[in-house]
């Protein structure tokens, strides 16, 4: 009975050492060899008419632009902004999901990752 208990303690210690000094570093080296990149997603944009854009408050009334020396340029900027918004919502745009891909790490990234993980 004493030998079985001693054997179990020794097996647990050796298993822990094997994990800590062999399995864990190998997994860290493997994980640090690759860098994950992601591209952002794009929300869907529904098509809207000019009236719908006015109702949603996305367009501004350019006739109420404040009076100043630069009145014409402020009005022109407001009108060009409205026309860009109208053009953007003219056609519906489908949502684009985020994409993920992996690339091999360069030597600096690999060294940093190893250091960060404690190796």
């Amino acid at each position: 009975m004493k030998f079985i208990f001693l054997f179990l303690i020794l097996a647990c210690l050796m298993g822990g050492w094997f994990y800590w000094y062999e399995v864990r570093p190998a997994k860290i080296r493997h994980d640090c060899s690759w860098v994950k990149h992601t591209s952002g997603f794009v929300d869907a944009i529904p098509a809207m008419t000019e009236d719908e854009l006015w109702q949603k408050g996305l367009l501004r009334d350019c006739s109420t632009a404040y009076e100043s020396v630069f009145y014409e340029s402020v009005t022109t900027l407001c009108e060009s902004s409205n026309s860009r918004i109208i053009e953007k919502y003219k056609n519906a745009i489908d949502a684009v999901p985020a994409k993920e891909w992996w690339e091999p790490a360069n030597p600096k990234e690999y060294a940093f990752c190893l250091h960060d993980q404690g190796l």
Side-chain angles (χ1 to χ4, degrees):
M1 185 70 169
K2 183 177 172 182
F3 292 112
I4 293 174
F5 182 71
L6 190 59
F7 177 75
L8 287 175
I9 297 260
L10 187 61
C12 286
L13 281 175
M14 289 184 68
W17 286 330
F18 180 75
Y19 169 78
W20 191 257
Y21 291 108
E22 296 294 328
V23 176
R24 182 180 156 270
K27 181 168 177 15
I28 290 172
R29 283 188 200 98
H30 173 270
D31 292 346
C32 287
S33 297
W34 298 94
V35 177
K36 181 180 182 181
H37 296 281
T38 58
S39 67
F41 72 95
V42 177
D43 282 334
I45 298 176
M48 286 193 244
T49 63
E50 191 172 337
D51 291 334
E52 291 172 329
L53 292 171
W54 280 109
Q55 288 172 359
K56 297 248 183 202
L58 295 173
L59 298 178
R60 293 186 302 180
D61 185 12
C62 298
S63 64
T64 60
Y66 59 91
E67 294 288 333
S68 73
V69 178
F70 305 107
Y71 175 73
E72 288 182 24
S73 62
V74 170
T75 304
T76 306
L77 284 174
C78 178
E79 290 170 354
S80 66
S81 173
N82 282 348
S83 63
R84 274 186 274 125
I85 292 170
I86 291 169
E87 192 63 35
K88 178 180 177 182
Y89 285 95
K90 187 182 252 183
N91 299 318
I93 298 175
D94 293 333
V96 178
K99 296 177 185 169
E100 296 179 351
W101 68 95
W102 294 85
E103 289 183 353
N106 65 38
K108 277 182 138 179
E109 291 170 331
Y110 182 72
F112 177 79
C113 182
L114 289 179
H115 180 72
D116 190 47
Q117 296 294 323
L119 292 184

